[in-house]
Amino acid sequence: MMPPPANVEETRREAGLQPAQPARERFAHAWRLSTRYFVSEDWKAAWCLLIAYAAISFGGVYTFILSNHWQRDFFDSIEQRQSSLFVTLIFTFLMIAALQVAFVLANNLVSWTLSMRWRNWLTNWYMDRWFARDRFYEIDRLRMIDNPDQRIAEDIKAFTNVTQGNSLVGIAVGIIGSLISAVSFGYILLQTSSAIVVPVAGYEIALPGGDLIWFAIVYVLFGSVVITWIGRPFIRRRMREQHYEADFRTNLIHVRRNGEQIAFSRTQDMERRGLQGSFANIRRNWYRLMWANIGLSAGSSIYDRVMGVIPLFLTVPKFFAGQISFGQVMASRDAFTQFSSSLSYFVQVYPGLAQQIANINRLKALDDSIDNERPRGIDFRPGEAGEGVAIHVQNLELRRPNGESLIALADWVVRNGERWVIEGPSGSGKTTLLRAIAGLWPDGAGQVAMTRHGTAMLVPQRLYLPLGSLKNAICFPDRAEDHDDATVAALLEKVRLATHIDDMHQLRMWQDELSPGEQQRVALARILLQRPTLLVLDEATSALDADNAAYFYEAVRAAMPDATIVSVVHNEKLAAYHTHRLLVHDRQATMSTIETET
């Protein structure tokens, strides 16, 4: 099961436990999110594609007007039995149809291109900020929001998807096109509309326009209010669906990545129950979403059906009275539908708009979590340690995120060439101390200064192996091309992984294929290749047997005799490879010298 998110403001807001932010702030964020790409370094392509997309959309409106005129002439020619016009009207229809197809193809080409370029830029922008200042680590450490990866992958994709017309840009262009369409088809309706006269205090006041136009306006206003009221639960349900689906996928990935441990511990039933619980949230929300969607779909369907018959009720009596032609009846019906559709554009895009509001809310939560940097209690100063000093800690107090104290360390100096072992019971804060040394732990007080010379490498208990070949994993963070095969093969031989030499270029999931002990030997190969001047080891030999663990330290000491080493170990025999000890106990740290064999 996914652990519950931290009790922070945005998480509570998304869960419905805290009032939503003011609409003005939400709108301002949506505006910034929508316009940022169009003032970016790719602004020329962005504006060219946007103008082309708008022009094509307006051209599509023009083809509808041409089609409406053709429909009136066609039915009039049938009513008047003008066979001589039939062939001409057929060719006219084919040309209009070809024009419509051309606009559809051009719309697909431009909208797809705009969507991908926009998504590419926005995704890179979010990833740059997500990785900056280790925000990805801080967000996950504090559980500030759920599934930031899903927001970057899915919500940005949906937000920039102009191809379906549901993006805010597509909706904005659609609104302008609807206004143009409303004016154009409103003019057509005037030709078959009757004036409406309203008696007021003994006077007769003629309303501008005609009955068809006013009926359309009243009908659209009524329908918009009803559809908005019906669709209110849809936004909330859609947003919760995204949360639950993302959690379920994360739990499935967790089972896949830990399949061996689950199989060994025989906890399949427990994991299945956890997945069933995650899916139960999806199922419950799905039924609520289904009823919300049924209400919205029913309202929209009734709205569209009634829209198609209202103009017939108003124009057929005029046709029977000989006031208009049959072609005008059909053209008026089409014009009324187009006019009403233009005015009711908001009703039509409401489901898509609801989806976009959910996307924008989730992206705003991601923005807030990226921008909401907690004040650093620990002053981390890389490159400011004194001459001959690798690490200098002053008045350090480590705390958990909830404020609970972990370690108090008044003054600790690690000089160049010294080898320190950090010991203490599990949970005493040894790994947290290493995180503070690396600048990854801001909770607490005091100062940490790091060496101004050389290079540093931190090796965690569970080594990170990037996707790709085994050679990539050994050379990381360098490129594999920066080191020749012979060097890497020699390292594999040296760290007792010679059986993998022939496979070093194969692309595999090495994180899953190599045992924990083999991964720690890969870490040794990486150390021997990079040869850092400062090496920080966090239980880097915990998965190795006694012989291989000793060999690990012997190989490091032989290859880098002048390197500064700080390591966390639980095996007392490994302390002999160090010169100093830092013992953590009862939230205090004491320092001593280790007698080494000559």
Side-chain angles (χ1 to χ4, degrees):
M1 290 292 292
M2 287 284 292
N7 186 25
V8 294
E9 180 180 357
E10 191 59 40
T11 302
R12 291 177 58 82
R13 184 179 293 122
E14 285 194 350
L17 302 176
Q18 189 162 314
Q21 287 181 325
R24 177 173 53 82
E25 294 183 21
R26 296 284 180 181
F27 178 79
H29 175 261
W31 174 259
R32 291 192 300 269
L33 194 62
S34 301
T35 57
R36 184 168 276 115
Y37 169 60
F38 295 93
V39 294
S40 69
E41 65 280 359
D42 198 35
W43 68 271
K44 292 182 180 179
W47 279 102
C48 287
L49 289 169
L50 179 60
I51 292 172
Y53 176 71
I56 293 169
S57 300
F58 301 154
V61 173
Y62 176 69
T63 61
F64 279 118
I65 297 173
L66 291 179
S67 179
N68 182 270
H69 287 303
W70 177 88
Q71 185 174 223
R72 181 193 60 193
D73 296 339
F74 181 75
F75 284 108
D76 279 344
S77 68
I78 292 177
E79 180 188 18
Q80 298 170 14
R81 294 181 172 80
Q82 295 176 321
S83 58
S84 60
L85 297 177
F86 186 77
V87 175
T88 303
L89 288 171
I90 291 298
F91 278 111
T92 303
F93 169 79
L94 292 176
M95 287 189 291
I96 294 174
L99 188 61
Q100 289 176 327
V101 171
F103 276 120
V104 169
L105 295 178
N107 180 277
N108 287 340
L109 176 63
V110 172
S111 62
W112 279 62
T113 303
L114 176 58
S115 296
M116 179 47 65
R117 293 185 73 103
W118 190 3
R119 181 188 178 189
N120 176 69
W121 185 89
L122 197 59
T123 299
N124 286 330
W125 185 72
Y126 268 101
M127 287 197 298
D128 288 344
R129 297 167 58 226
W130 190 45
F131 279 108
R133 310 184 319 277
D134 297 322
R135 295 305 299 159
F136 70 97
Y137 170 73
E138 188 75 359
I139 291 170
D140 185 67
R141 183 175 74 91
L142 299 176
R143 297 283 303 157
M144 297 174 69
I145 56 172
D146 67 279
N147 304 295
D149 52 319
Q150 187 253 6
R151 299 173 193 244
I152 294 175
E154 298 296 332
D155 293 334
I156 291 178
K157 176 183 177 182
F159 177 75
T160 58
N161 191 5
V162 182
T163 59
Q164 296 181 357
N166 290 334
S167 69
L168 293 188
V169 169
I171 292 173
V173 172
I175 290 175
I176 298 175
S178 295
L179 292 175
I180 297 174
S181 177
V183 172
S184 302
F185 286 105
Y187 175 76
I188 296 174
L189 286 179
L190 286 175
Q191 301 174 13
T192 54
S193 293
S194 301
I196 295 181
V197 178
V198 179
V200 178
Y203 295 94
E204 292 185 347
I205 300 177
L207 297 178
D211 54 352
L212 288 174
I213 292 178
W214 281 106
F215 270 107
I217 293 174
V218 171
Y219 183 71
V220 167
L221 290 176
F222 174 77
S224 299
V225 172
V226 172
I227 294 298
T228 302
W229 179 76
I230 293 175
R232 279 191 304 175
F234 186 81
I235 296 177
R236 296 193 301 271
R237 293 296 110 209
R238 178 65 75 181
M239 192 168 180
R240 296 314 304 164
E241 178 192 31
Q242 292 172 310
H243 289 314
Y244 294 142
E245 292 283 1
D247 286 345
F248 184 58
R249 285 196 301 271
T250 301
N251 291 339
L252 288 171
I253 293 173
H254 170 76
V255 172
R256 178 172 62 84
R257 288 180 174 175
N258 298 277
E260 185 177 12
Q261 295 90 325
I262 293 171
F264 271 126
S265 58
R266 302 297 181 188
T267 57
Q268 293 91 331
D269 290 340
M270 183 182 71
E271 294 296 336
R272 185 188 299 111
R273 286 193 298 271
L275 290 173
Q276 288 172 341
S278 295
F279 191 78
N281 292 331
I282 297 176
R283 186 180 66 251
R284 284 191 295 269
N285 184 74
W286 179 263
Y287 286 117
R288 296 167 183 167
L289 179 63
M290 178 184 69
W291 286 112
N293 186 60
I294 287 175
L296 189 59
S297 299
S300 300
S301 179
I302 294 172
Y303 180 85
D304 292 337
R305 298 297 182 274
V306 174
M307 184 191 298
V309 297
I310 288 179
L312 295 179
F313 295 156
L314 297 174
T315 57
V316 168
K318 298 177 184 178
F319 170 73
F320 289 151
Q323 297 175 0
I324 59 175
S325 66
F326 182 65
Q328 287 179 308
V329 171
M330 301 306 294
S332 296
R333 178 179 179 272
D334 185 59
F336 182 91
T337 301
Q338 295 295 335
F339 180 74
S340 300
S341 297
S342 300
L343 294 181
S344 60
Y345 181 73
F346 175 76
V347 175
Q348 299 171 28
V349 301
Y350 189 85
L353 183 61
Q355 179 69 58
Q356 287 300 339
I357 291 175
N359 293 332
I360 291 170
N361 287 343
R362 285 176 57 78
L363 288 176
K364 187 177 192 307
L366 178 60
D367 277 319
D368 290 348
S369 63
I370 290 176
D371 297 335
N372 182 28
E373 187 172 6
R374 301 168 73 232
R376 289 192 64 92
I378 298 175
D379 184 14
F380 180 67
R381 298 185 177 184
E384 295 190 17
E387 195 66 34
V389 175
I391 303 171
H392 189 188
V393 172
Q394 293 177 288
N395 302 317
L396 180 67
E397 182 181 359
L398 296 177
R399 301 192 189 100
R400 300 186 191 275
N402 61 8
E404 180 185 349
S405 179
L406 271 174
I407 302 175
L409 187 57
D411 191 70
W412 179 34
V413 179
V414 178
R415 303 188 183 279
N416 291 340
E418 293 181 343
R419 299 190 298 274
W420 283 77
V421 59
I422 302 177
E423 297 179 324
S426 297
S428 59
K430 302 183 299 297
T431 297
T432 303
L433 177 58
L434 297 188
R435 290 170 181 162
I437 292 175
L440 298 178
W441 194 267
D443 300 319
Q447 183 183 107
V448 176
M450 298 293 291
T451 179
R452 65 181 65 183
H453 303 296
T455 59
M457 177 184 289
L458 191 149
V459 181
Q461 180 179 7
R462 185 175 180 181
L463 186 68
Y464 170 66
L465 298 180
L467 297 177
S469 67
L470 181 59
K471 183 180 178 182
N472 282 334
I474 292 174
C475 297
F476 182 85
D478 294 345
R479 297 182 307 166
E481 306 84 64
D482 295 339
H483 303 277
D484 58 68
D485 290 353
T487 300
V488 176
L491 286 174
L492 287 172
E493 181 79 33
K494 188 175 185 62
V495 300
R496 302 176 178 179
L497 289 176
T499 55
H500 294 295
I501 290 177
D502 294 337
D503 302 330
M504 73 166 71
H505 292 293
Q506 293 190 17
L507 303 179
R508 299 182 187 173
M509 294 291 293
W510 292 102
Q511 189 85 43
D512 297 330
E513 287 206 21
L514 297 178
S515 70
E518 289 177 314
Q519 291 182 35
Q520 291 187 339
R521 278 180 270 175
V522 169
L524 175 59
R526 190 181 293 175
I527 293 169
L528 298 179
L529 179 67
Q530 301 292 335
R531 295 180 179 249
T533 56
L534 172 60
L535 181 62
V536 181
L537 305 173
D538 183 14
E539 299 188 52
T541 59
S542 60
L544 297 175
D545 57 81
D547 177 62
N548 277 300
Y551 179 77
F552 184 106
Y553 278 93
E554 289 172 358
V556 171
R557 187 170 62 178
M560 304 180 305
D562 297 327
T564 306
I565 299 176
V566 176
S567 57
V568 171
V569 298
H570 284 288
N571 186 350
E572 179 61 29
K573 292 182 180 180
L574 298 178
Y577 294 96
H578 301 81
T579 59
H580 297 76
R581 174 184 283 109
L582 182 71
L583 180 63
V584 178
H585 186 70
D586 290 336
R587 301 180 183 179
Q588 298 295 321
T590 56
M591 290 160 277
S592 60
T593 302
I594 299 176
E595 295 294 335
T596 57
E597 297 181 2
T598 57

